[in-house]
Amino acid sequence: MNPPTVAVVGGGISGLVVAYRLRRSLGAAARIVVLERSSRLGGKLRTVPLAGDPVDVGAEAFIARRPEVLALVEELGLSDHIVHPSAARPLLYADARLHPLPAGTLMGIPASAQSVEGLVDDETLARITAEPSVPFHWDRDSDVSVAELVRSRFGEQVVRRSVDPLLGGVYSGLSDTAGVRATVPTLAAALDAGATSLSEAVARALPPKSDAPVFGTLREGYGVLIEALVREADAEFLYGTAASGLKRSAGRWSVDPLGEVDGVVLAVPAPDAARLLADSVRSAAQCAAQIPLASSVVVALALPHDAGLPQNSGILVATGEDLSAKAFTLSSRKWPHLAERPVALARASFGRFGDDALVDASEADLIALARADLATVTGVDAEPVAAFVQRWHGGLPQYREHHGEIVAAFEAEIAGIDGLEVAGAMLHGVGVPACVATGTAAAARLAARMEG
């Protein structure tokens, strides 16, 4: 039997994990080809030089309480590169003022009025306090947006000042376009289990207190992980090559412009998966087409070391504030290893689902907006030593209502087709650990079929 040929469509973190896992499973003789439409690998992970040192301008951390990234990093011999955040706390900019980020909340949803005291008005606090006594109905067989659920129980101020900033930081969207089951699954589980109020459900769903770090990153940036995966995958990488067609014939797949292969893994955004599957697996394509994308921009600033950034890890911005930015990461305060550098580092983020007009603004305008908004919320108006603008067109899938049902139907259609797998952020989480998990699972299923 000839060694298999596998096409991995998409060279982001999911696709690179697929290629690496397939190499380990299928051996040195297998031909693994990664088709990447852009001129670089890594997808939404990108590390660039700024003021002489590497800085991440995409995802900049991973959830350390999930095992996938830590296990992968250990496999690749990079464990000594892992670092964790400082004890600095984030702030929230709402009603034109800075507030401590509410504690005792689940994705910004409070378990009690005490959590958001000072952030919302007295009427809202009274409503939260009384919420457990208000009749409540939860449909175990359905789903609603986070905004609809929270607004109905706690009011609009909680949605816009507490929940939106947290969800926006993860999904580049608003709570209006976030389904409860997909974006706050532990809350949905508590409601399904019989919680009689939203307050009770949040209290049940809050994670247990732990001294373990919540987040981690790599000292030199995610570029180190990307380089290691590329090296160990030992694949053929076709840059500037978008898959333009996917067909199945006589038990093999044909991927344009590559040609015939024994297996295909799609590790691309949902609209691209929908386009590629339109002819060969139309029902799956229709599912993928229901998952929209949000675009955003990151502006990384290197400021003079004595610029006077607050002693906080970042600042989230409530919906409706007179700012263009949706969040700031005060990188030199958040990460001790970055505090050692001769400049002060900060990142401003722009763009949400349905509000991405700034994504294509000029670099000069985006840098000016980042500086102006940073000055508004912190008073820091120092001239940057260096700046970098990273646009993320279609950067993040939106997990709207019934997202889980859409993904389940999509995966059920794919599962019955030999030689085809899918991985990526459109499925079971937008974070790096979730992408690593889907890539690992897709590679394992495909390898098992080929070896069987």
Side-chain angles (χ1 to χ4, degrees), residues 58-289:
E60 50 110 34
F62 59 85
I63 298 175
R65 293 174 184 174
R66 284 192 61 153
E68 293 89 352
V69 173
L70 292 173
L72 179 62
V73 165
E74 184 176 357
E75 281 183 44
L76 295 169
L78 300 175
S79 293
D80 58 345
H81 292 255
I82 294 291
V83 291
H84 299 288
S86 69
R89 300 291 300 164
L91 298 171
L92 180 59
Y93 186 80
D95 197 23
R97 293 181 294 121
L98 287 172
H99 308 261
L101 191 72
T105 74
L106 186 68
M107 199 63 82
I109 309 171
S112 68
Q114 183 179 2
S115 296
V116 290
E117 194 169 353
L119 180 62
V120 299
D121 61 25
D122 290 344
E123 181 181 347
T124 300
L125 292 175
R127 183 171 179 174
I128 298 169
T129 300
E131 190 265 342
S133 64
V134 177
F136 179 63
H137 172 72
W138 171 257
D139 187 349
R140 292 178 177 85
D141 299 318
S142 190
D143 196 10
V144 297
S145 72
V146 175
E148 182 180 345
L149 174 62
V150 176
R151 182 188 299 113
S152 67
R153 305 301 293 178
F154 294 155
E156 188 74 5
Q157 285 191 4
V158 174
V159 172
R160 302 309 172 200
R161 297 184 182 183
S162 187
V163 182
D164 273 357
L166 271 296
L167 278 170
V170 177
Y171 295 97
S172 287
L174 296 175
S175 52
D176 306 78
T177 57
V180 172
R181 294 190 180 279
T183 60
V184 203
T186 55
L187 178 64
L191 292 168
D192 288 344
T196 58
S197 68
L198 182 55
S199 302
E200 181 186 342
V202 173
R204 287 191 194 182
L206 285 172
K209 291 184 178 180
S210 171
D211 293 330
V214 177
F215 298 106
T217 195
L218 294 159
R219 179 177 292 276
E220 296 84 7
Y222 269 122
V224 174
L225 176 61
I226 299 304
E227 290 170 5
L229 286 169
V230 169
R231 181 178 62 251
E232 296 300 320
D234 191 23
E236 298 173 39
F237 293 97
L238 305 183
Y239 296 89
T241 305
S244 57
L246 179 65
K247 295 179 181 178
R248 191 181 186 211
S249 177
R252 299 196 84 202
W253 289 92
S254 177
V255 182
D256 292 334
L258 179 61
E260 286 198 348
V261 297
D262 301 294
V264 181
V265 181
L266 301 182
V268 293
D272 293 328
R275 174 178 55 82
L276 289 169
L277 293 168
D279 292 331
S280 53
V281 197
R282 186 170 182 79
S283 53
Q286 291 170 338
C287 293

Side-chain angles (χ1 to χ4, degrees), residues 292-349:
L293 305 178
S295 297
S296 61
V297 179
V298 170
V299 178
L301 301 174
L303 303 167
H305 194 269
D306 60 356
L309 290 175
Q311 297 293 332
N312 298 92
S313 60
I315 302 166
L316 299 177
V317 178
T319 302
E321 296 301 309
D322 189 20
L323 297 175
S324 298
K326 66 181 181 183
F328 302 89
T329 304
L330 306 180
S331 307
S332 293
R333 305 304 191 201
K334 182 175 181 178
W335 301 105
H337 69 287
L338 297 182
E340 300 168 0
R341 297 188 181 179
V343 294
L345 297 170
R347 302 186 349 160
S349 300

